[in-house]
Amino acid sequence: QKDLHTKYFGQHYIYMDSTDSSNREAKLLAQEGAPEGTIVVAETQSAGRGRLTRGWFSPYGKGIWMSLILRPKFSPIEAPKCTLMAAVALTKAFHALGLEAAGIKWPNDILVKGKKIVGILTEMSGTMEEISYIIMGMGINISVEKSELPEDIKDIATSFAMEGVMVDRKVALQTILQELENQYNKVVSGGFDTTLEEWKQLSVTLHQDVEVRAPGNTYVGHAIDIDRDGNLIVRLPNGKTERIIAGDVSIRPA
Ligand code: ATP
């Protein structure tokens, strides 16, 4: 921890050998009043979670399975800003760690050459007016090997090791926390536009043909922009534009 130069991200640190889900642990801590910047890191998760009912594969010691507590003073509709800022921060950290090919897939994944290396799960609690806390769950594949991937993600997942980039988990964590804190400070002090611009630069979804699967509706179009609320703007073949709200959709190259 002495090598960690953040002011508050990771300065409260809960290390667990094993947990069912770091987001669940972090939620309990947040409810007990844990300060902003507190992280829960586990060596393994037995029931790591993704969005909706999806799971996150978290083998022992092979990744950074982490949840971060945030308490931004903005309204709940602005919460997607946190997911966007985390994606930007992680991607910049990856570039600094030597993984230059990492890019952001809207809304919450980081990909390397089309394969997923990170999943981000944002969960929020509060009222319509005020956020009580946000839990940012991040699953980062570090030394996961292809041979140990479950069959269903064998062809869609990657890791630093699989990309030939050897990193020390501790160094990676320090770099990531520093970038997260930088981006977060920028966002909460009114600098979200810069983060949004960076997001657009780092995106692998924008300017691509995409297939969007929303409940009861699948359509193909061209991803042309992302708005300030984090919605993806897709132009359909009939020329109309559709605003896609994250949360209940799955998206892939068309
Ligand atoms: P989609 O890629 O369809 O948009 P999503 O963003 O809804 O998925 P997440 O909640 O981010 O999905 O992540 C869960 C999914 O990620 C799982 O359903 C599985 O396919 C995949 N997955 C699970 N564990 C890992 C892992 N360690 N590395 C890469 N991918 C994983």
PDB file of all heavy atoms in Angstrom, residues 70-72 74 78-88 120 122 131 134 136 180 184 187-188 192 195:
ATOM      1  N   LEU A  70     -18.325   4.192  -4.486  1.00  0.00           N
ATOM      2  CA  LEU A  70     -18.346   5.609  -4.851  1.00  0.00           C
ATOM      3  C   LEU A  70     -19.568   6.269  -4.238  1.00  0.00           C
ATOM      4  O   LEU A  70     -20.616   5.629  -4.087  1.00  0.00           O
ATOM      5  CB  LEU A  70     -18.400   5.775  -6.379  1.00  0.00           C
ATOM      6  CG  LEU A  70     -17.227   5.208  -7.177  1.00  0.00           C
ATOM      7  CD1 LEU A  70     -17.481   5.366  -8.674  1.00  0.00           C
ATOM      8  CD2 LEU A  70     -15.923   5.875  -6.783  1.00  0.00           C
ATOM      9  N   ARG A  71     -19.431   7.545  -3.896  1.00  0.00           N
ATOM     10  CA  ARG A  71     -20.571   8.305  -3.359  1.00  0.00           C
ATOM     11  C   ARG A  71     -20.644   9.665  -4.048  1.00  0.00           C
ATOM     12  O   ARG A  71     -20.468  10.705  -3.411  1.00  0.00           O
ATOM     13  CB  ARG A  71     -20.419   8.484  -1.843  1.00  0.00           C
ATOM     14  CG  ARG A  71     -20.394   7.154  -1.054  1.00  0.00           C
ATOM     15  CD  ARG A  71     -20.327   7.405   0.437  1.00  0.00           C
ATOM     16  NE  ARG A  71     -20.203   6.183   1.216  1.00  0.00           N
ATOM     17  CZ  ARG A  71     -21.221   5.401   1.557  1.00  0.00           C
ATOM     18  NH1 ARG A  71     -22.448   5.701   1.167  1.00  0.00           N
ATOM     19  NH2 ARG A  71     -21.020   4.315   2.278  1.00  0.00           N
ATOM     20  N   PRO A  72     -20.880   9.674  -5.356  1.00  0.00           N
ATOM     21  CA  PRO A  72     -20.917  10.951  -6.073  1.00  0.00           C
ATOM     22  C   PRO A  72     -22.140  11.766  -5.660  1.00  0.00           C
ATOM     23  O   PRO A  72     -23.187  11.194  -5.364  1.00  0.00           O
ATOM     24  CB  PRO A  72     -21.015  10.538  -7.545  1.00  0.00           C
ATOM     25  CG  PRO A  72     -21.643   9.196  -7.517  1.00  0.00           C
ATOM     26  CD  PRO A  72     -21.185   8.539  -6.245  1.00  0.00           C
ATOM     27  N   PHE A  74     -24.077  13.526  -7.401  1.00  0.00           N
ATOM     28  CA  PHE A  74     -25.001  13.900  -8.462  1.00  0.00           C
ATOM     29  C   PHE A  74     -26.220  12.983  -8.473  1.00  0.00           C
ATOM     30  O   PHE A  74     -26.321  12.053  -7.665  1.00  0.00           O
ATOM     31  CB  PHE A  74     -24.323  14.009  -9.829  1.00  0.00           C
ATOM     32  CG  PHE A  74     -23.364  12.908 -10.209  1.00  0.00           C
ATOM     33  CD1 PHE A  74     -23.780  11.597 -10.367  1.00  0.00           C
ATOM     34  CD2 PHE A  74     -22.028  13.220 -10.457  1.00  0.00           C
ATOM     35  CE1 PHE A  74     -22.899  10.605 -10.767  1.00  0.00           C
ATOM     36  CE2 PHE A  74     -21.134  12.226 -10.854  1.00  0.00           C
ATOM     37  CZ  PHE A  74     -21.568  10.937 -11.003  1.00  0.00           C
ATOM     38  N   GLU A  78     -27.455  10.395 -13.525  1.00  0.00           N
ATOM     39  CA  GLU A  78     -26.084  10.628 -13.998  1.00  0.00           C
ATOM     40  C   GLU A  78     -25.139   9.460 -13.672  1.00  0.00           C
ATOM     41  O   GLU A  78     -23.953   9.505 -14.008  1.00  0.00           O
ATOM     42  CB  GLU A  78     -25.528  11.918 -13.384  1.00  0.00           C
ATOM     43  CG  GLU A  78     -26.270  13.162 -13.846  1.00  0.00           C
ATOM     44  CD  GLU A  78     -25.664  14.415 -13.240  1.00  0.00           C
ATOM     45  OE1 GLU A  78     -24.694  14.932 -13.805  1.00  0.00           O
ATOM     46  OE2 GLU A  78     -26.158  14.843 -12.182  1.00  0.00           O
ATOM     47  N   ALA A  79     -25.685   8.439 -13.027  1.00  0.00           N
ATOM     48  CA  ALA A  79     -24.838   7.311 -12.613  1.00  0.00           C
ATOM     49  C   ALA A  79     -24.057   6.656 -13.764  1.00  0.00           C
ATOM     50  O   ALA A  79     -22.919   6.222 -13.556  1.00  0.00           O
ATOM     51  CB  ALA A  79     -25.669   6.268 -11.873  1.00  0.00           C
ATOM     52  N   PRO A  80     -24.646   6.577 -14.983  1.00  0.00           N
ATOM     53  CA  PRO A  80     -23.876   5.957 -16.078  1.00  0.00           C
ATOM     54  C   PRO A  80     -22.527   6.640 -16.320  1.00  0.00           C
ATOM     55  O   PRO A  80     -21.618   6.027 -16.871  1.00  0.00           O
ATOM     56  CB  PRO A  80     -24.802   6.113 -17.289  1.00  0.00           C
ATOM     57  CG  PRO A  80     -26.179   6.146 -16.709  1.00  0.00           C
ATOM     58  CD  PRO A  80     -26.036   6.889 -15.404  1.00  0.00           C
ATOM     59  N   LYS A  81     -22.410   7.887 -15.886  1.00  0.00           N
ATOM     60  CA  LYS A  81     -21.115   8.564 -16.002  1.00  0.00           C
ATOM     61  C   LYS A  81     -20.014   7.757 -15.328  1.00  0.00           C
ATOM     62  O   LYS A  81     -18.860   7.776 -15.757  1.00  0.00           O
ATOM     63  CB  LYS A  81     -21.165   9.939 -15.313  1.00  0.00           C
ATOM     64  CG  LYS A  81     -21.921  11.004 -16.071  1.00  0.00           C
ATOM     65  CD  LYS A  81     -21.895  12.304 -15.266  1.00  0.00           C
ATOM     66  CE  LYS A  81     -22.549  13.439 -16.036  1.00  0.00           C
ATOM     67  NZ  LYS A  81     -22.635  14.661 -15.226  1.00  0.00           N
ATOM     68  N   CYS A  82     -20.381   7.088 -14.236  1.00  0.00           N
ATOM     69  CA  CYS A  82     -19.375   6.313 -13.492  1.00  0.00           C
ATOM     70  C   CYS A  82     -18.887   5.127 -14.309  1.00  0.00           C
ATOM     71  O   CYS A  82     -17.692   4.814 -14.315  1.00  0.00           O
ATOM     72  CB  CYS A  82     -19.928   5.873 -12.139  1.00  0.00           C
ATOM     73  SG  CYS A  82     -20.105   7.266 -11.010  1.00  0.00           S
ATOM     74  N   THR A  83     -19.816   4.450 -15.002  1.00  0.00           N
ATOM     75  CA  THR A  83     -19.403   3.326 -15.843  1.00  0.00           C
ATOM     76  C   THR A  83     -18.491   3.815 -16.958  1.00  0.00           C
ATOM     77  O   THR A  83     -17.452   3.210 -17.250  1.00  0.00           O
ATOM     78  CB  THR A  83     -20.639   2.638 -16.461  1.00  0.00           C
ATOM     79  OG1 THR A  83     -21.562   2.342 -15.413  1.00  0.00           O
ATOM     80  CG2 THR A  83     -20.256   1.349 -17.167  1.00  0.00           C
ATOM     81  N   LEU A  84     -18.871   4.946 -17.573  1.00  0.00           N
ATOM     82  CA  LEU A  84     -18.056   5.481 -18.668  1.00  0.00           C
ATOM     83  C   LEU A  84     -16.674   5.877 -18.177  1.00  0.00           C
ATOM     84  O   LEU A  84     -15.662   5.585 -18.808  1.00  0.00           O
ATOM     85  CB  LEU A  84     -18.746   6.682 -19.318  1.00  0.00           C
ATOM     86  CG  LEU A  84     -20.113   6.439 -19.973  1.00  0.00           C
ATOM     87  CD1 LEU A  84     -20.617   7.717 -20.617  1.00  0.00           C
ATOM     88  CD2 LEU A  84     -20.043   5.349 -21.014  1.00  0.00           C
ATOM     89  N   MET A  85     -16.636   6.535 -17.002  1.00  0.00           N
ATOM     90  CA  MET A  85     -15.327   6.998 -16.506  1.00  0.00           C
ATOM     91  C   MET A  85     -14.462   5.798 -16.127  1.00  0.00           C
ATOM     92  O   MET A  85     -13.250   5.813 -16.328  1.00  0.00           O
ATOM     93  CB  MET A  85     -15.473   8.016 -15.370  1.00  0.00           C
ATOM     94  CG  MET A  85     -15.743   7.528 -13.980  1.00  0.00           C
ATOM     95  SD  MET A  85     -14.246   7.007 -13.109  1.00  0.00           S
ATOM     96  CE  MET A  85     -14.979   6.009 -11.809  1.00  0.00           C
ATOM     97  N   ALA A  86     -15.073   4.741 -15.604  1.00  0.00           N
ATOM     98  CA  ALA A  86     -14.288   3.552 -15.229  1.00  0.00           C
ATOM     99  C   ALA A  86     -13.716   2.883 -16.474  1.00  0.00           C
ATOM    100  O   ALA A  86     -12.549   2.459 -16.480  1.00  0.00           O
ATOM    101  CB  ALA A  86     -15.160   2.564 -14.445  1.00  0.00           C
ATOM    102  N   ALA A  87     -14.519   2.814 -17.526  1.00  0.00           N
ATOM    103  CA  ALA A  87     -14.030   2.202 -18.763  1.00  0.00           C
ATOM    104  C   ALA A  87     -12.853   3.000 -19.326  1.00  0.00           C
ATOM    105  O   ALA A  87     -11.846   2.426 -19.764  1.00  0.00           O
ATOM    106  CB  ALA A  87     -15.167   2.109 -19.787  1.00  0.00           C
ATOM    107  N   VAL A  88     -12.962   4.318 -19.275  1.00  0.00           N
ATOM    108  CA  VAL A  88     -11.862   5.168 -19.758  1.00  0.00           C
ATOM    109  C   VAL A  88     -10.618   4.954 -18.899  1.00  0.00           C
ATOM    110  O   VAL A  88      -9.506   4.736 -19.405  1.00  0.00           O
ATOM    111  CB  VAL A  88     -12.268   6.665 -19.744  1.00  0.00           C
ATOM    112  CG1 VAL A  88     -11.060   7.576 -19.971  1.00  0.00           C
ATOM    113  CG2 VAL A  88     -13.336   6.935 -20.798  1.00  0.00           C
ATOM    114  N   ILE A 120     -17.441  -4.705 -16.423  1.00  0.00           N
ATOM    115  CA  ILE A 120     -17.728  -3.723 -15.373  1.00  0.00           C
ATOM    116  C   ILE A 120     -19.197  -3.846 -15.007  1.00  0.00           C
ATOM    117  O   ILE A 120     -20.057  -3.849 -15.890  1.00  0.00           O
ATOM    118  CB  ILE A 120     -17.438  -2.282 -15.858  1.00  0.00           C
ATOM    119  CG1 ILE A 120     -15.981  -2.143 -16.302  1.00  0.00           C
ATOM    120  CG2 ILE A 120     -17.766  -1.260 -14.768  1.00  0.00           C
ATOM    121  CD1 ILE A 120     -15.669  -0.806 -16.976  1.00  0.00           C
ATOM    122  N   THR A 122     -21.975  -1.985 -12.709  1.00  0.00           N
ATOM    123  CA  THR A 122     -22.292  -0.837 -11.854  1.00  0.00           C
ATOM    124  C   THR A 122     -23.619  -1.071 -11.159  1.00  0.00           C
ATOM    125  O   THR A 122     -24.625  -1.333 -11.816  1.00  0.00           O
ATOM    126  CB  THR A 122     -22.406   0.439 -12.723  1.00  0.00           C
ATOM    127  OG1 THR A 122     -21.256   0.525 -13.553  1.00  0.00           O
ATOM    128  CG2 THR A 122     -22.497   1.688 -11.866  1.00  0.00           C
ATOM    129  N   ILE A 131     -27.963   9.814  -4.865  1.00  0.00           N
ATOM    130  CA  ILE A 131     -27.280   8.525  -4.818  1.00  0.00           C
ATOM    131  C   ILE A 131     -26.761   8.305  -3.400  1.00  0.00           C
ATOM    132  O   ILE A 131     -26.147   9.205  -2.822  1.00  0.00           O
ATOM    133  CB  ILE A 131     -26.085   8.515  -5.802  1.00  0.00           C
ATOM    134  CG1 ILE A 131     -26.580   8.593  -7.251  1.00  0.00           C
ATOM    135  CG2 ILE A 131     -25.224   7.260  -5.595  1.00  0.00           C
ATOM    136  CD1 ILE A 131     -25.475   8.835  -8.266  1.00  0.00           C
ATOM    137  N   ILE A 134     -22.612   3.959  -5.062  1.00  0.00           N
ATOM    138  CA  ILE A 134     -22.494   3.171  -6.290  1.00  0.00           C
ATOM    139  C   ILE A 134     -21.410   2.136  -6.039  1.00  0.00           C
ATOM    140  O   ILE A 134     -20.363   2.453  -5.466  1.00  0.00           O
ATOM    141  CB  ILE A 134     -22.094   4.067  -7.489  1.00  0.00           C
ATOM    142  CG1 ILE A 134     -23.309   4.895  -7.934  1.00  0.00           C
ATOM    143  CG2 ILE A 134     -21.555   3.238  -8.645  1.00  0.00           C
ATOM    144  CD1 ILE A 134     -23.009   5.863  -9.062  1.00  0.00           C
ATOM    145  N   MET A 136     -18.927  -0.196  -8.044  1.00  0.00           N
ATOM    146  CA  MET A 136     -18.373  -0.488  -9.360  1.00  0.00           C
ATOM    147  C   MET A 136     -17.611  -1.791  -9.269  1.00  0.00           C
ATOM    148  O   MET A 136     -16.520  -1.831  -8.703  1.00  0.00           O
ATOM    149  CB  MET A 136     -17.357   0.590  -9.768  1.00  0.00           C
ATOM    150  CG  MET A 136     -17.877   1.999  -9.801  1.00  0.00           C
ATOM    151  SD  MET A 136     -18.327   2.565 -11.433  1.00  0.00           S
ATOM    152  CE  MET A 136     -17.783   1.293 -12.431  1.00  0.00           C
ATOM    153  N   LEU A 180      -8.342   5.511 -12.070  1.00  0.00           N
ATOM    154  CA  LEU A 180      -9.745   5.632 -11.653  1.00  0.00           C
ATOM    155  C   LEU A 180      -9.943   6.901 -10.830  1.00  0.00           C
ATOM    156  O   LEU A 180     -10.896   7.652 -11.040  1.00  0.00           O
ATOM    157  CB  LEU A 180     -10.172   4.404 -10.835  1.00  0.00           C
ATOM    158  CG  LEU A 180     -10.517   3.130 -11.612  1.00  0.00           C
ATOM    159  CD1 LEU A 180     -10.603   1.936 -10.661  1.00  0.00           C
ATOM    160  CD2 LEU A 180     -11.840   3.286 -12.370  1.00  0.00           C
ATOM    161  N   TYR A 184     -12.262   9.973 -11.940  1.00  0.00           N
ATOM    162  CA  TYR A 184     -13.414  10.244 -11.067  1.00  0.00           C
ATOM    163  C   TYR A 184     -13.375  11.684 -10.559  1.00  0.00           C
ATOM    164  O   TYR A 184     -14.387  12.386 -10.587  1.00  0.00           O
ATOM    165  CB  TYR A 184     -13.425   9.247  -9.907  1.00  0.00           C
ATOM    166  CG  TYR A 184     -14.623   9.414  -8.994  1.00  0.00           C
ATOM    167  CD1 TYR A 184     -15.905   9.148  -9.458  1.00  0.00           C
ATOM    168  CD2 TYR A 184     -14.472   9.835  -7.677  1.00  0.00           C
ATOM    169  CE1 TYR A 184     -17.011   9.304  -8.630  1.00  0.00           C
ATOM    170  CE2 TYR A 184     -15.568   9.976  -6.837  1.00  0.00           C
ATOM    171  CZ  TYR A 184     -16.836   9.707  -7.325  1.00  0.00           C
ATOM    172  OH  TYR A 184     -17.924   9.860  -6.501  1.00  0.00           O
ATOM    173  N   VAL A 187     -14.568  13.909 -13.259  1.00  0.00           N
ATOM    174  CA  VAL A 187     -16.008  13.828 -13.500  1.00  0.00           C
ATOM    175  C   VAL A 187     -16.796  14.566 -12.408  1.00  0.00           C
ATOM    176  O   VAL A 187     -17.703  15.337 -12.714  1.00  0.00           O
ATOM    177  CB  VAL A 187     -16.473  12.355 -13.609  1.00  0.00           C
ATOM    178  CG1 VAL A 187     -17.988  12.251 -13.567  1.00  0.00           C
ATOM    179  CG2 VAL A 187     -15.937  11.733 -14.891  1.00  0.00           C
ATOM    180  N   VAL A 188     -16.441  14.358 -11.142  1.00  0.00           N
ATOM    181  CA  VAL A 188     -17.226  14.994 -10.071  1.00  0.00           C
ATOM    182  C   VAL A 188     -16.949  16.501  -9.958  1.00  0.00           C
ATOM    183  O   VAL A 188     -17.712  17.216  -9.328  1.00  0.00           O
ATOM    184  CB  VAL A 188     -17.039  14.318  -8.681  1.00  0.00           C
ATOM    185  CG1 VAL A 188     -17.606  12.914  -8.693  1.00  0.00           C
ATOM    186  CG2 VAL A 188     -15.601  14.333  -8.232  1.00  0.00           C
ATOM    187  N   PHE A 192     -16.806  16.168 -16.988  1.00  0.00           N
ATOM    188  CA  PHE A 192     -17.268  14.947 -17.669  1.00  0.00           C
ATOM    189  C   PHE A 192     -17.087  15.015 -19.187  1.00  0.00           C
ATOM    190  O   PHE A 192     -16.858  13.984 -19.822  1.00  0.00           O
ATOM    191  CB  PHE A 192     -18.727  14.659 -17.310  1.00  0.00           C
ATOM    192  CG  PHE A 192     -19.270  13.455 -18.003  1.00  0.00           C
ATOM    193  CD1 PHE A 192     -18.759  12.196 -17.738  1.00  0.00           C
ATOM    194  CD2 PHE A 192     -20.281  13.576 -18.956  1.00  0.00           C
ATOM    195  CE1 PHE A 192     -19.245  11.070 -18.400  1.00  0.00           C
ATOM    196  CE2 PHE A 192     -20.769  12.459 -19.616  1.00  0.00           C
ATOM    197  CZ  PHE A 192     -20.257  11.206 -19.337  1.00  0.00           C
ATOM    198  N   THR A 195     -13.966  13.449 -20.235  1.00  0.00           N
ATOM    199  CA  THR A 195     -14.046  11.992 -20.127  1.00  0.00           C
ATOM    200  C   THR A 195     -14.824  11.413 -21.306  1.00  0.00           C
ATOM    201  O   THR A 195     -14.440  10.398 -21.884  1.00  0.00           O
ATOM    202  CB  THR A 195     -14.731  11.597 -18.793  1.00  0.00           C
ATOM    203  OG1 THR A 195     -13.926  12.092 -17.729  1.00  0.00           O
ATOM    204  CG2 THR A 195     -14.872  10.095 -18.659  1.00  0.00           C
TER     205      THR A 195
END
